[in-house]
Amino acid sequence: MNLELVLITGMSGSGKSVALHALEDAGYYCVDNLPPELLSPFIALQQQQQATKVAIAMDVRSGVSLPLVPQQLEALRQQGVSLRSLFLDATTDALVRRYSETRRRHPLSRQEGRTDMPEQQRVLMQAIELERELLADLRDGADVVDTSIIRPPQLQSYVKALISAPDSALTLVFESFAFKRGVPLDADYVFDVRMLPNPHYVPALRALTGRDTPVIEWLREHEDVARMYGDIEQFLQRWLDALARDHRSYVTVAIGCTGGQHRSVFLVEQLARGFGERWAALKRHRELDGA
């Protein structure tokens, strides 16, 4: 049996430890902050011991050896290792807030002191942007998870769902969100459906969601909703085969409305059901899942 390797990288403070704990719960042998120089010999040792599931976290603390990682990953793939790479990201504002709340020091910041002071926040933001530059190559080759406004249990569920999806074919992730809380960083495609009829203005539907039958029936009565579904479906049908040929593991399609409760949720549910007949399809509801 081939070794399954999950590599977790990402921004400091983005939740890599939470993701690693989720994989440990899923039966993976987990190692945190493994130096890139030790990746190949470590995997060779695991293969000798007939390990089947291994998860490794790497971050910017590895410093100058990070550029070695993409080449090492390609070599492991050539050896038959089943590899999945996850990159955890978050907005700069979210990362600054987390550091301010925990009083932790960023690994690239040499300045001590309270991170909630203006000068320390400026230094922290500079460290975060430098980290983005250093990790850019790892992000490009990975499946990105935006942790900006999700809670640890929600992140654990996301990671487990991604890892449990079949790795032999393209996996589609349909995600609903509210524009008022920002566009997800992990979105490959974003569709704005705020121009569609809004159940929020129907008193009997306001407290419900796009998963509830009365909302579903109400939205199905509107021609514009069906036209939007058809346009998104046609776009994806045209390009998914090309994305699969490009060796993409995951494609995240984000559907946004004003509150992330009705229209975007309805369309995500319908799209995941429709495309799930051919592709591996996951669904997320950022605002509902985090409620």
Side-chain angles (χ1 to χ4, degrees):
M1 182 179 294
N2 291 338
L3 176 67
E4 294 181 21
L5 170 62
V6 179
L7 176 66
I8 299 177
T9 60
M11 300 295 293
S12 301
S14 62
K16 293 188 296 298
S17 295
V18 173
L20 205 61
H21 290 155
L23 293 175
E24 189 172 31
D25 291 343
Y28 285 78
Y29 177 72
C30 299
V31 178
D32 191 12
N33 195 29
L34 182 74
E37 298 90 341
L38 298 181
L39 177 58
S40 295
F42 175 76
I43 294 302
L45 176 61
Q46 295 303 306
Q47 289 174 321
Q48 291 175 11
Q49 297 177 347
Q50 299 184 330
T52 57
K53 294 183 176 182
V54 176
I56 295 171
M58 291 183 181
D59 56 38
V60 77
R61 288 174 290 178
S62 298
V64 295
S65 56
L66 279 176
L68 299 173
V69 176
Q71 184 176 356
Q72 290 177 321
L73 296 181
E74 183 57 33
L76 291 174
R77 288 191 181 97
Q78 295 298 324
Q79 296 170 20
V81 174
S82 176
L83 173 65
R84 296 189 177 193
S85 182
L86 300 182
F87 188 99
L88 304 190
D89 204 351
T91 64
T92 298
D93 287 345
L95 295 173
V96 169
R97 183 178 67 253
R98 291 172 189 174
Y99 274 99
S100 298
E101 290 172 351
T102 61
R103 303 294 175 88
R104 289 175 52 201
R105 176 183 170 188
H106 191 280
L108 297 182
S109 177
R110 297 182 178 180
Q111 184 163 342
E112 301 287 352
R114 292 176 55 186
T115 55
D116 56 345
M117 301 298 289
E119 178 62 20
Q120 279 71 35
Q121 283 207 1
R122 183 184 65 81
V123 173
L124 175 58
M125 293 177 68
Q126 290 175 345
I128 290 171
E129 294 310 314
L130 174 59
E131 184 179 26
R132 289 195 192 281
E133 295 178 14
L134 295 174
L135 297 178
D137 289 342
L138 291 178
R139 190 185 195 279
D140 288 342
D143 302 303
V144 181
V145 178
D146 181 7
T147 71
S148 301
I149 60 173
I150 63 177
R151 298 175 293 109
Q154 192 177 353
L155 175 57
Q156 289 185 339
S157 297
Y158 284 3
V159 170
K160 290 178 180 178
L162 284 173
I163 298 306
S164 64
D167 61 357
S168 59
L170 181 69
T171 297
L172 300 176
V173 181
F174 293 100
E175 179 175 11
S176 67
F177 72 95
F179 270 98
K180 65 183 181 181
R181 300 185 70 187
V183 176
L185 296 178
D186 51 5
D188 295 295
Y189 298 102
V190 177
F191 294 94
D192 183 352
V193 300
R194 287 175 291 184
M195 76 292 294
L196 298 180
N198 192 351
H200 174 79
Y201 297 108
V202 180
L205 303 179
R206 182 171 300 174
L208 303 178
T209 76
R211 294 182 292 199
D212 293 317
T213 300
V215 174
I216 293 172
E217 293 176 348
W218 188 87
L219 288 170
R220 283 178 172 168
E221 293 173 357
H222 292 80
E223 184 178 345
D224 283 348
V225 176
R227 185 179 295 115
M228 176 64 74
Y229 177 91
D231 288 345
I232 297 173
E233 180 187 43
Q234 184 178 30
F235 174 84
L236 294 176
Q237 293 285 18
R238 177 173 296 176
W239 293 107
L240 284 180
D241 285 326
L243 289 166
R245 290 194 298 270
D246 194 41
H247 305 292
R248 293 288 296 273
S249 298
Y250 301 96
V251 172
T252 299
V253 180
I255 313 291
C257 61
T258 305
Q261 179 180 341
H262 296 109
R263 295 163 292 180
S264 61
V265 171
F266 167 79
L267 285 168
V268 161
E269 291 285 331
Q270 302 305 309
L271 288 164
R273 182 177 296 110
F275 281 90
E277 296 178 0
R278 178 184 175 190
W279 307 88
L282 305 177
K283 55 189 177 183
R284 299 180 193 157
H285 299 297
R286 190 182 71 179
E287 319 309 338
L288 302 186
D289 294 344

